[in-house]
Amino acid sequence: MAQSKSSATSTLTGVGGRVAIVDALRTPFARIATHFREHNVVDLGAMAVAELAARNNLSATDIDQIIFGQTIMASGTQFIGREVALACGMPDVDAYSVTRACATSFQTTANATESILLGRADVVVAGGADSTSDAPIPVSKKLAAALRDANFAKTMSQRVKILSRLRPKDLLPTAPAITEFSTGLLMGESAEQMAKSWNVSRAEQDDIAHASHSNAARAWAEGRMDDFVISAFLDDGKGGTRPLREDNLVRGNSQREGYDKLRPVFDKKLGTVTAANASPLTDGGAAMVLMSEERAKALGHQPLAYIRGYSFAAKTPETDLLMGPVLATPAALEQAGVTLKDLDLVDMHEAFAAQIACNLRGLASRDYIRKWTGRDKAVGEVDTSKLNVNGGSIAYGHPFGATGARVIGQTAHELKRRGGGLALTTACAAGGIGAAMVIESA
Ligand SMILES: CC(=O)SCCNC(=O)CCNC(=O)[C@H](O)C(C)(C)COP(=O)(O)OP(=O)(O)OC[C@H]1O[C@@H](n2cnc3c(N)ncnc32)[C@H](O)[C@@H]1OP(=O)(O)O
């Protein structure tokens, strides 16, 4: 493959040159309550960061900062950036946490990029993790209020009086749900609304999901995940550990007929979103090490890719919640000085197959781009042979905080494997947010 088709060189340069993605990796991704059921989010992040440091001969003194994110705030692990640094034995490394829903590790990567461009850091670890298995199980509002009041009660009789007001039904836990706070809608309900508004059929969604699994299975079979997915070490129950090497959500034997049999989940009567064409609940972590071009050269690293432009954008969440990639992409392409035609790869986070179909329609729609970005030109029709070539979140899963680093890192490895090229990576997120980042091969 030829080098990046655009003749323009990156405008995204700072005091140390461009920003290099020197390495990227992730843990295997596991379905909720399976391999990582005993691990919390810090474990998952630390697995990725510790291996990243070891693989790149980075000691704590080499790393200026760790920027990490999570979206599920499990008890006691809210400060994941710092907790990961400590868990990796790097108490002297400055660290902080960022959250931006499903675009969280797009943001940690952007923050790392900005620190490097400004010359405030030369080596930054960015990434994210989430454990859906360790999500807090909410209790009823009545139980929460009673426990709070009982905790602050002065006497035992006051405590007993408060707790005696509870009824058996108040004691039942509430199932955790992925709900948009401002609208009260489940993400899957928003995907249903989008499928209906943009006329996305069930068959189109199932084709996208089947392609995701087929591409992911092929990527694994061809060794394309070998440098990206690390082994995780799990308790073997005998006082030792056993290695976990592979994801457990990718369906190597994905059969298109199998998709037709599933019933819709979020609109049981008229819906089209099923367990097969939605991203599943997942545990995992991902991390990248970014360096200034000068520092990467000085340390003798051959980067995977360079960051060429990025953007974040937002829209009202009431309808079309997951259209963020359409809003963020134009500015990212502009900053990178390229157009859709220049791209060799497009990697778009698959929250739902319906969202992918709607995002592709939006990118091709001049009216939609004009309405939401004020620009007068559509981004264009994405060539689907360049889209998610190694599979996406429907197949791999979607540990929310890790997904951005998974998408960017997977694409950076693919550019390196191809020996050249230019790629758009993008994700939708809760709140009507979108992230887009253009990377070029090193
Ligand atoms: C910005 C954003 O990213 S927003 C997105 C945020 N994420 C979400 O909202 C998560 C959405 N996903 C979910 O909530 C869950 O995955 C659900 C509710 C859709 C499905 O959950 P579950 O019912 O637990 O899924 P599960 O994996 O058990 O699959 C259900 C069935 O479908 C089958 N199935 C799943 N995928 C496939 C497939 N590709 N082909 C054939 N069958 C399949 C399973 O085998 C299972 O069959 P069984 O009941 O006979 O065992």
Side-chain angles (χ1 to χ4, degrees), residues 31 43 47 62 77 84 97-98 122 131 156 264 277 285 313 337 344 366 391-392 421 428:
R31 181 190 158 95
D43 297 336
M47 277 181 209
D62 298 316
T77 61
V84 162
S97 307
V98 167
D122 278 308
S131 168
M156 183 55 81
N277 63 39
D344 300 286
R366 185 177 168 196
C428 58

Side-chain angles (χ1 to χ4, degrees), residues 31 102 178 187 251 259 262 275-276 279-280 349 351-352 398 428-429:
R31 181 190 158 95
C102 301
I178 305 164
M187 294 292 154
R251 289 179 178 246
Y259 290 74
L262 299 182
S279 58
H349 158 53
F352 298 91
H398 174 30
C428 58

Side-chain angles (χ1 to χ4, degrees), residues 135-143 169-177:
I137 306 288
V139 296
S140 70
K141 282 200 174 356
K142 271 194 173 174
L143 177 57
K169 71 173 167 50
D170 300 329
L171 304 180
L172 290 175
T174 313

Side-chain angles (χ1 to χ4, degrees), residues 31-32 102 178 186-188 209 213 249 251 254-255 258-259 262 265-266 273-281 322 349-352 398 400 428-430:
R31 181 190 158 95
I32 183 173
C102 301
I178 305 164
L186 293 170
M187 294 292 154
H213 280 281
L249 282 154
R251 289 179 178 246
S254 175
Q255 302 293 326
Y259 290 74
L262 299 182
V265 178
F266 300 100
V273 177
T274 69
N277 63 39
S279 58
L281 297 169
L322 306 175
H349 158 53
E350 299 163 343
F352 298 91
H398 174 30
F400 315 117
C428 58

